[in-house]
Amino acid sequence: MKKIAIDAMGGDHAPQSTVEGVMLAAKKHSHVTFQLYGDKVKMAPYLEQLSNVEIVHTEEKIESTDSPVEAVRKKKQASMVLAAKAVKDGEAEACISAGNTGALMSAGLFVVGRMKGIKRPALAPTIPTVDGSGFVLLDAGANADAKPEHLLQFGMMGSAYVSAVKKIERPRVGLLNIGTEHNKGTDLTKDAFALLDASSVINFVGNVEARDLLNGVADVVVTDGFTGNMVLKTIEGTAGNLMKMIKGAMTATPLSKLGALTMRKGIYEIKDMMDYSNYGGACLFGLAGTVVKAHGSSNAHAIATTVTQAIQMVEGNIIGNINSALQQTKEEETTNE
């Protein structure tokens, strides 16, 4: 049976939301074993007697206020660290945490280890689009800066993920830029454009502008971590505030409240479409194992969705697909020399 390791103590609503989410996933995926790492006393009220759920007890955990690198190095028995170690030791095929993002990235690098041939890891969330399909954005904050070759590898890793999880044979890869013309942007984007355009490993569709991202112009969008993180937070903030504005306008007067009743179904459909909990977590690509960061405020539904996402990544052999893309790129470079 496949095994998924979960840090039960990370996140704003842990361990309740994490444990309840895993219970939902365990019932749906009976062919998978789930290893919950955390304080068994605190988890007990939310546990169900399921044969494919195992508990690994530890009272140590990484706090949101901890220094990421220091916490991973000093808290050897922390639930997050033990979950990452399970992947490193081959005891689990993937690990999930809703805890400290920096700490999970550090655990991924220092415990799981970097994939051979990958120069920089990338944080890759799936962003909702108006058609409901979503797109993968990377890097969303693992690296503040980047080089052209890093963006090429981001495109490869994002493509491997979309192929494995969404079953899209040739995912469209776009380069985030200030214009669609090939000569637009900084030295980084111009040089990255040349590398991406020359690669046969990915389906590069050219530059894409930020205003078009939610229209589904690409399945994978690559950029440096500084820009990607700002785009991610701008989209999150805009979506949240837009829903507040709509709610305020629809409840402002008795007449608008009456109109809201007729529009209620459509408004909820829009809300569901933009709800992060329906899209899973942010993947940490470039590691030797599958590591997924669930949103810190995840509820049980969001955790269950993230668990399903991790299972799809394992069953889709994403690590093997990335290695194959790396090998193909290496062969292309050798041929062109």
Side-chain angles (χ1 to χ4, degrees), residues 101-159:
T101 302
L104 185 62
M105 288 171 59
S106 297
L109 286 171
F110 301 140
V111 180
V112 177
R114 187 180 302 178
M115 181 183 294
K116 186 177 180 181
I118 293 295
K119 297 177 180 179
R120 291 280 183 89
L123 184 65
T126 297
I127 311 297
T129 54
V130 293
D131 63 359
S133 61
F135 71 93
V136 178
L137 174 69
L138 64 166
D139 179 20
N143 313 277
D145 56 6
K147 295 180 180 179
E149 55 267 34
H150 300 155
L151 299 189
L152 173 61
Q153 291 192 341
F154 294 169
M156 291 162 42
M157 293 189 290
S159 292

Side-chain angles (χ1 to χ4, degrees), residues 61 86-87 95 106 123 133 144 167 196 198 201 253 256 290 294 310 315:
K61 67 175 184 176
V87 174
C95 76
S106 297
L123 184 65
S133 61
K167 308 304 180 185
L196 291 161
V201 178
T253 67
S256 63
T290 300
E315 293 181 340

Side-chain angles (χ1 to χ4, degrees), residues 34-276:
F34 299 91
Q35 298 174 322
L36 276 165
Y37 290 78
D39 190 326
K40 63 181 180 182
V41 176
K42 294 181 178 179
M43 287 191 282
Y46 317 110
L47 288 168
E48 299 178 42
Q49 295 299 317
L50 299 176
S51 60
N52 59 332
V53 176
E54 302 173 353
I55 307 301
V56 181
H57 176 69
T58 180
E59 296 179 10
E60 192 169 42
K61 67 175 184 176
I62 293 178
E63 306 287 351
S64 61
T65 54
D66 284 342
S67 169
V69 176
E70 185 177 354
V72 170
R73 287 177 173 169
K74 291 185 176 181
K75 294 186 173 182
K76 302 292 187 183
Q77 296 302 306
S79 52
M80 181 190 293
V81 176
L82 291 178
K85 190 174 184 296
V87 174
K88 170 67 174 179
D89 295 341
E91 296 174 4
E93 278 99 338
C95 76
I96 299 168
S97 176
N100 186 315
T101 302
L104 185 62
M105 288 171 59
S106 297
L109 286 171
F110 301 140
V111 180
V112 177
R114 187 180 302 178
M115 181 183 294
K116 186 177 180 181
I118 293 295
K119 297 177 180 179
R120 291 280 183 89
L123 184 65
T126 297
I127 311 297
T129 54
V130 293
D131 63 359
S133 61
F135 71 93
V136 178
L137 174 69
L138 64 166
D139 179 20
N143 313 277
D145 56 6
K147 295 180 180 179
E149 55 267 34
H150 300 155
L151 299 189
L152 173 61
Q153 291 192 341
F154 294 169
M156 291 162 42
M157 293 189 290
S159 292
Y161 170 78
V162 172
S163 294
V165 174
K166 296 187 177 183
K167 308 304 180 185
I168 299 175
E169 187 175 346
R170 291 281 288 169
R172 298 163 298 155
V173 178
L175 173 64
L176 187 61
N177 209 333
I178 58 172
T180 57
E181 299 87 348
H182 73 277
N183 58 346
K184 282 289 185 74
T186 63
D187 289 340
L188 170 63
T189 55
K190 291 175 184 177
D191 292 343
F193 186 101
L195 286 180
L196 291 161
D197 193 45
S199 175
S200 66
V201 178
I202 61 174
N203 177 23
F204 182 55
V205 295
N207 290 326
V208 295
E209 296 186 61
R211 66 183 178 185
D212 296 323
L213 292 179
L214 301 189
N215 292 327
V217 292
D219 303 302
V220 178
V221 176
V222 299
T223 186
D224 62 274
F226 182 84
T227 304
N229 191 264
M230 292 184 71
V231 168
L232 173 64
K233 290 178 178 176
T234 298
I235 292 174
E236 287 181 337
T238 300
N241 284 307
L242 183 60
M243 292 307 298
K244 289 179 183 178
M245 291 167 64
I246 293 174
K247 183 178 180 180
M250 295 180 71
T251 57
T253 67
L255 186 60
S256 63
K257 289 180 181 179
L258 182 62
L261 292 175
T262 63
M263 297 175 62
R264 186 176 181 180
K265 181 180 178 182
I267 294 298
Y268 275 105
E269 287 177 353
I270 293 173
K271 184 177 182 295
D272 288 341
M273 189 180 298
M274 301 304 291
D275 187 354
Y276 74 89

Side-chain angles (χ1 to χ4, degrees), residues 7-14 17-18 97-100 295-297:
D7 166 23
M9 309 309 292
D12 300 340
H13 310 298
S17 61
T18 304
S97 176
N100 186 315
H295 202 287
S297 60

